[in-house]
Amino acid sequence: MPRPVQYNENTKVALANIPDGYQGEGFMATKFDQVIGLARANSLWPLPFATSCCGIEFMATMGANYDLARFGSERMGFTPRQCDMLLVAGTIAKKMAPILRQVYLQMAEPRWVIAIGACASSGGIFDSYPVLQGIDQVIPVDVYVPGCPPRPEGILDGVLKLQEIVKHESLRRRHSEQYKGLLNEYGIQ
Amino acid sequence: MSNEQIKQRLSEKFPDISDWEENYGIQSFRVPAGDNLKVLQFLYEDEELQFQFLTDLTGVHYPDRAGEELCIVYHLHNLVANVRLRMKAYVPVARPDIHSATPVFSGANWMERETYDFFGVNFIGHPNLTRILNVDEMDYFPMRKEYPMEDPTRIDKDDEMFGRG
């Protein structure tokens, strides 16, 4: 007895919207920018750089309840070479700053950075001599997530915000004068 | 071994030891800065005393005590008799030189580096007296009580983020 065929009948699965373009029977024409942006945004590989309590919240974000994997970030890659999204969660001491910077330098373009929590964004409550007052003093940051520590929802929101950035990023952005100027500010070639 | 016995045995050998006091059952005393290593060695090697474990070594800054601003505190433990002892030495902040305890206790190595890092005590004879916790480029000793609570000379703060812009 043949089983009923059920393709795409699970309505809970949200599919990505088809980018704008010209469609006809059996073909579709659109811009590479949009297709690649869509692919990148929905397959961001996270590199967690967790140093304190925000890291614990991030672990919850990765876990089954909040499940970062739903948004395409299936697997934590603990190697900067293969990852696109650096998640800095926690207090960065001044002594840790060169290490963080090195991790960023080891990532291949395109790369994005999320600063999770008050400490990574601004030093937080640690208004003190050994603490870096925000990671944007050593590496460029795309998204800041406020909170001390932020709830997993907050971190997810940050990742979704980053996805929007990635989706709408021009493929030429990394070659633009503005981008080169930004990296130059940080002394990165 | 009672605190009285420790006191007697030490004062026989080192008459310069002063400021004997007992807090929470622990005997503490002060040695002249130049004698710290000799006293530690005697405490370690003496058959009767046997203080062979260095629990802690740290510094204290007393900005008001002119000429003896920095105090170096040694916490010793006789593991056999389970007796503790506290030894203090004072040095002027202008010339904070003291003998390193590393010839007697190898474990003093990192504790002295930490004390140097935070208080700037110069341990003479230390094999590698460099900063251990703070960044190497730091040019001051942060635990000395000579800075205002909020340092107005700081340039690494982003005032805008703290409502001070």
Side-chain angles (χ1 to χ4, degrees):
Chain A
M1 187 176 158
R3 278 178 292 177
V5 181
Q6 291 179 336
Y7 289 119
N8 292 339
E9 285 193 5
N10 185 350
T11 50
K12 284 180 183 170
V13 175
L15 293 177
N17 292 326
I18 300 173
D20 296 334
Y22 182 69
Q23 262 178 308
E25 202 176 306
F27 77 94
M28 183 199 174
T30 183
K31 286 187 287 184
F32 256 143
D33 270 21
Q34 292 182 353
V35 178
I36 292 175
L38 192 66
R40 281 177 177 170
N42 292 297
S43 63
L44 286 169
W45 277 36
L47 168 59
F49 194 95
T51 52
S52 46
C53 41
C54 286
I56 305 293
E57 293 298 310
F58 181 67
M59 288 168 209
T61 315
M62 289 164 11
N65 276 340
Y66 294 94
D67 203 5
L68 187 60
R70 291 180 294 160
F71 304 99
S73 303
E74 183 65 70
R75 170 182 169 272
M76 302 302 123
F78 292 97
T79 152
R81 301 284 187 208
Q82 301 170 343
C83 291
D84 320 293
M85 174 169 65
L86 177 61
L87 292 141
V88 183
T91 321
I92 302 297
K94 280 181 184 164
K95 211 169 181 176
M96 185 64 98
I99 296 151
L100 176 66
R101 192 182 144 88
Q102 192 179 2
V103 166
Y104 179 78
L105 291 179
Q106 285 175 344
M107 292 171 75
E109 290 279 12
R111 54 192 166 182
W112 295 276
V113 179
I114 302 185
I116 295 175
C119 293
S121 303
S122 71
I125 58 166
F126 301 103
D127 183 0
S128 165
Y129 59 90
V131 174
L132 192 67
Q133 302 297 309
I135 58 164
D136 51 10
Q137 297 198 353
V138 289
I139 55 173
V141 177
D142 294 276
V143 174
Y144 298 86
V145 180
C148 185
R151 285 190 57 82
E153 291 96 320
I155 300 174
L156 284 179
D157 190 51
V159 173
L160 292 181
K161 285 270 187 305
L162 184 69
Q163 286 191 348
E164 284 307 307
I165 293 175
V166 175
K167 245 178 238 174
H168 298 113
E169 187 179 299
S170 154
L171 286 186
R172 306 290 304 162
R173 182 190 157 213
R174 306 269 151 176
H175 302 282
S176 68
E177 285 308 311
Q178 192 195 5
Y179 186 74
K180 283 179 185 164
L182 174 74
L183 287 194
N184 258 332
E185 271 177 39
Y186 289 95
I188 300 168
Q189 295 308 309
Chain B
M1 179 174 27
S2 73
N3 284 342
E4 273 308 308
Q5 282 171 294
I6 299 170
K7 186 173 171 179
Q8 200 187 344
R9 184 118 184 96
L10 269 176
S11 6
E12 275 170 19
K13 180 89 179 168
F14 301 98
D16 285 344
I17 290 179
S18 57
D19 292 10
W20 292 94
E21 56 181 313
E22 200 180 306
N23 292 314
Y24 303 100
I26 300 174
Q27 185 68 254
S28 85
F29 58 91
R30 172 184 178 159
V31 294
D35 286 351
N36 70 327
L37 190 55
K38 272 185 267 177
V39 177
L40 282 176
Q41 186 147 20
F42 175 73
L43 285 165
Y44 188 98
E45 286 170 356
D46 188 71
E47 288 291 318
E48 197 182 316
L49 294 169
Q50 288 189 35
F51 282 94
Q52 298 186 347
F53 185 75
L54 181 66
T55 310
D56 197 13
L57 189 171
T58 188
V60 188
H61 187 208
Y62 297 104
D64 299 333
R65 300 173 74 146
E68 45 171 52
E69 289 93 347
L70 287 172
C71 174
I72 295 102
V73 190
Y74 301 81
H75 286 235
L76 298 161
H77 194 173
N78 177 337
L79 292 164
V80 180
N82 194 19
V83 175
R84 292 176 190 273
L85 194 61
R86 195 158 47 216
M87 182 177 116
K88 296 176 185 178
Y90 292 82
V91 289
V93 75
R95 195 185 157 80
D97 296 345
I98 196 159
H99 294 296
S100 166
T102 44
V104 182
F105 296 105
S106 298
N109 188 321
W110 282 18
M111 299 185 205
E112 287 182 349
R113 281 179 67 187
E114 188 193 19
T115 312
Y116 162 73
D117 193 351
F118 284 102
F119 295 94
V121 178
N122 180 27
F123 291 96
I124 295 162
H126 190 284
N128 176 31
L129 196 64
T130 52
R131 289 190 183 271
I132 187 166
L133 291 169
N134 284 306
V135 281
D136 296 329
E137 302 83 54
M138 191 176 261
D139 53 1
Y140 56 98
F141 302 108
M143 293 294 267
R144 285 191 186 171
K145 294 173 187 163
E146 38 188 59
Y147 312 104
M149 284 296 278
E150 192 160 324
D151 186 352
T153 62
R154 289 268 296 278
I155 49 167
D156 61 338
K157 291 299 296 185
D158 212 339
D159 282 341
E160 228 175 273
M161 288 187 186
F162 294 86
R164 303 188 291 229

